[in-house]
Amino acid sequence: MDIRSHEFQPRAVAALHDTSLQQAMDKARDGFVAKRAVQVAELSEFEALREAAKTLKDHVLDHLDHYLERYEAAVVAAGGQVHWARDDAEARRIILDICKRVDARTVTKGKSMVSEEIGLNTALIDAGLTVVETDLGEYIIQLAGEAPSHIIAPAVHKTREQVSDLFEKAHGGPRLTEIADLVDAARLALRERYFQADVGITGGNFLIAETGSSLIVTNEGNGDLTQTLARVHIVTAGIERVVPTLDDATLFLRLLARSATGQETETYTTISTGPKPADDLDGPEEYHVVLVDNGRSRMLAGPFREMLRCIRCGACMNHCPVYGAIGGHAYGWVYPGPMGSVLTPLIKGLDAAYDLPNACTLNGRCASVCPVKIPLPDLLRRLRHEQFKQSITPRRKRYALGAWRLLATRPKLYHALERLAARALAAIGGHAGRIRRLPGARGWTEARDLPAPQGRTFLERWQTERGQS
């Protein structure tokens, strides 16, 4: 997937004016947030689980080499193979070599954000393979020729009417409008593909070091069919996905579904260990794991290692007002929302994704809901500092920050100008209390009104309440 994060601003503006997108995002936002809140309220130990998960993840990252080696040894002992990919190009080459060796023609895929990260689908198609996404959301956007807009709900930006149009064009027959009918149509279209597949590719929510197993969670069962009916099963996962034991994985499972979709647990939790034994009827004949670095070792050794705690639940974007307003495609790469605003610059470069760390209000909601307590606002602020230090920040903005620093270090001047601005904006807002157009604030007022201050600054009101001058 080509990175288009440099187009963030025009894409965000287009998203704000996309009526269908706004309709879809409104429905999704309320559902994710409300369902999570119910689950959290019903689990009294939720905060204790978050702290335990954070501690465990930090322990794994401190000893990542040990657990990866232990995992590799267990996979090999179970009859599988582990392949190490330093970057996206090497990961693609490894997977293409496996497909070529087994004379694969059709590849089925369960949802895997790492496969999106390494641009796998394009490489497979360019090599002449038929690629079929089996996750319902991924299948929908494959029909639309689009990238995922959310890491757990890839087609969250689509309305039911848009999905109906896609299915009518792809499947023919009468137009379907009911969700149950659309799901049934997808099942019928995909069922024969599972049996035609030579290779099944899945992600790995967790990799178990003690057993060499890969663990995936789904709500549709497509992952099970993808990895058991094909002759060859390939797991794609980042190196940070390893956990020491199955018991440790259950800790994260208690947090994952509640944080992601507001469910107590996923519908299917599937553990795979190696190829099938010779006397088994079902299962793959070969089992491969492609462990992808792609910048993760660099993160591990630097100030952004906390980002490697991420379990890809999507809670940060579900609660992000920016993502909720513009959706995922505006971010221009695989990972949207707060987590993407950290990961994309770190993987693809600070200059290639300049706008993403700056497209954040630093309100802190993402950090407050993250199941492994990643301090996302702190990391985004650090990325801004790095951009400024490397002179990536545009010159005009650097001058503006310099002027602000000049004022902020002179409190009397700062407060005098602050009082003047508050009164001027209150006058412009008038009785309506809002400003429709303001020089220098076009990016805000093009899409919404700017609330006008009441005429006095917060400090003035605070001092009046306390009887201070």
Side-chain angles (χ1 to χ4, degrees):
M1 179 178 174
D2 294 333
I3 182 169
R4 301 180 67 182
S5 299
H6 60 283
E7 301 174 0
F8 175 81
Q9 293 191 34
R11 289 161 76 96
V13 171
L16 289 170
H17 292 87
D18 186 330
T19 305
S20 295
L21 173 64
Q22 293 303 316
Q23 178 185 347
M25 295 305 297
D26 284 344
K27 290 182 179 179
R29 185 188 311 115
D30 295 339
F32 283 134
V33 173
K35 290 177 181 178
R36 177 193 178 276
V38 169
Q39 289 296 331
V40 170
E42 292 180 351
L43 187 65
S44 60
E45 65 267 33
F46 187 79
E47 286 303 315
L49 292 174
R50 289 180 72 208
E51 186 61 34
K54 171 185 177 293
T55 301
L56 179 55
K57 268 290 189 178
D58 285 341
H59 166 77
V60 171
L61 294 175
D62 287 340
H63 304 88
L64 188 58
D65 54 346
H66 165 73
Y67 286 115
L68 286 172
E69 290 173 356
R70 185 178 170 192
Y71 172 73
E72 180 184 32
V75 171
V76 172
Q81 298 180 53
V82 174
H83 310 264
W84 302 82
R86 285 164 291 193
D87 54 27
D88 53 355
E90 188 169 12
R92 292 193 299 268
R93 180 187 59 76
I94 290 168
I95 295 169
L96 286 170
D97 286 348
I98 295 171
C99 291
K100 183 178 180 180
R101 180 178 56 77
V102 300
D103 195 25
R105 296 178 181 174
T106 299
V107 175
T108 49
K109 289 180 72 260
K111 186 151 62 65
S112 166
M113 293 312 297
V114 166
S115 75
E116 299 284 348
E117 179 185 325
I118 65 175
L120 181 58
N121 281 18
T122 300
L124 292 172
I125 293 169
D126 289 347
L129 292 158
T130 299
V131 179
V132 182
E133 294 285 358
T134 64
D135 173 85
L136 178 58
E138 294 279 359
Y139 177 68
I140 290 169
I141 62 171
Q142 186 179 33
L143 293 180
E146 297 175 359
S149 65
H150 194 292
I151 63 171
I152 62 165
V156 70
H157 60 289
K158 292 292 187 186
T159 64
R160 187 191 308 185
E161 291 72 22
Q162 290 173 321
V163 175
S164 295
D165 291 341
L166 289 170
F167 277 35
E168 184 178 20
K169 182 178 179 180
H171 304 151
R175 179 181 172 82
L176 305 175
T177 57
E178 295 300 318
I179 292 177
D181 294 335
L182 292 168
V183 172
D184 285 344
R187 284 179 176 150
L188 289 172
L190 291 171
R191 186 160 296 165
E192 62 178 313
R193 295 294 197 171
Y194 289 118
F195 293 99
Q196 293 170 352
D198 304 295
V199 173
I201 300 176
T202 67
N205 290 94
F206 304 104
L207 307 175
I208 316 301
E210 71 171 344
T211 61
S213 307
S214 59
L215 184 153
I216 61 170
V217 295
T218 66
N219 280 321
E220 302 161 23
N222 61 296
D224 296 29
L225 297 172
T226 297
Q227 64 189 30
T228 56
L229 294 179
R231 290 185 288 117
V232 178
H233 177 202
I234 302 175
V235 178
T236 58
I239 58 174
E240 81 282 9
R241 309 300 290 190
V242 66
V243 296
T245 68
L246 282 167
D247 283 343
D248 294 324
T250 62
L251 167 63
F252 295 108
L253 290 175
R254 296 187 70 190
L255 291 164
L256 180 57
R258 289 179 168 90
S259 299
T261 54
Q263 297 170 267
E264 185 174 350
T265 185
E266 298 81 3
T267 306
Y268 299 93
T269 299
T270 307
I271 300 171
S272 300
T273 310
K276 69 174 183 179
D279 55 348
D280 273 10
L281 296 178
D282 299 316
E285 298 168 8
E286 296 185 19
Y287 177 83
H288 299 265
V289 181
V290 181
L291 292 174
V292 179
D293 188 319
N294 205 30
R296 289 164 174 78
S297 292
R298 188 169 60 251
M299 275 186 255
L300 184 67
F304 298 98
R305 67 181 291 153
E306 290 172 299
M307 194 62 227
L308 293 175
R309 291 206 297 260
C310 180
I311 60 172
R312 304 296 194 268
C313 68
C316 61
M317 60 191 71
N318 293 342
H319 291 76
C320 175
V322 178
Y323 176 89
I326 63 175
H329 286 158
Y331 290 83
W333 199 52
V334 177
Y335 302 114
M339 53 93 77
S341 295
V342 176
L343 282 173
T344 303
L346 292 176
I347 295 175
K348 306 302 287 187
L350 291 173
D351 54 344
Y354 168 77
D355 284 321
L356 301 193
N358 297 280
C360 175
T361 65
L362 301 179
N363 60 83
R365 289 189 77 192
C366 51
S368 69
V369 299
C370 176
V372 287
K373 294 190 170 184
I374 299 172
L376 287 159
D378 295 341
L379 299 182
L380 289 165
R381 193 179 295 110
R382 178 64 181 261
L383 284 170
R384 295 180 185 183
H385 291 326
E386 293 295 326
Q387 289 174 330
F388 191 89
K389 283 166 55 180
Q390 297 180 30
S391 297
I392 296 171
T393 303
R395 183 176 298 177
R396 186 171 67 175
K397 189 172 182 179
R398 292 172 64 85
Y399 288 155
L401 288 170
W404 180 87
R405 180 181 181 276
L406 185 70
L407 291 173
T409 54
R410 291 164 174 79
K412 289 185 178 180
L413 178 60
Y414 181 90
H415 292 306
L417 292 174
E418 187 181 33
R419 289 191 294 272
L420 178 63
R423 286 156 176 77
L425 291 173
I428 295 172
H431 295 297
R434 60 182 184 271
I435 301 169
R436 305 202 64 171
R437 290 182 179 83
L438 185 68
R442 181 182 174 188
W444 180 286
T445 57
E446 271 192 340
R448 56 208 178 281
D449 292 345
L450 179 70
Q454 296 179 357
R456 291 193 300 164
T457 67
F458 173 82
L459 182 59
E460 286 180 298
R461 297 188 63 182
W462 174 262
Q463 289 173 335
T464 300
E465 292 290 332
R466 300 189 60 168
Q468 299 174 351
S469 60

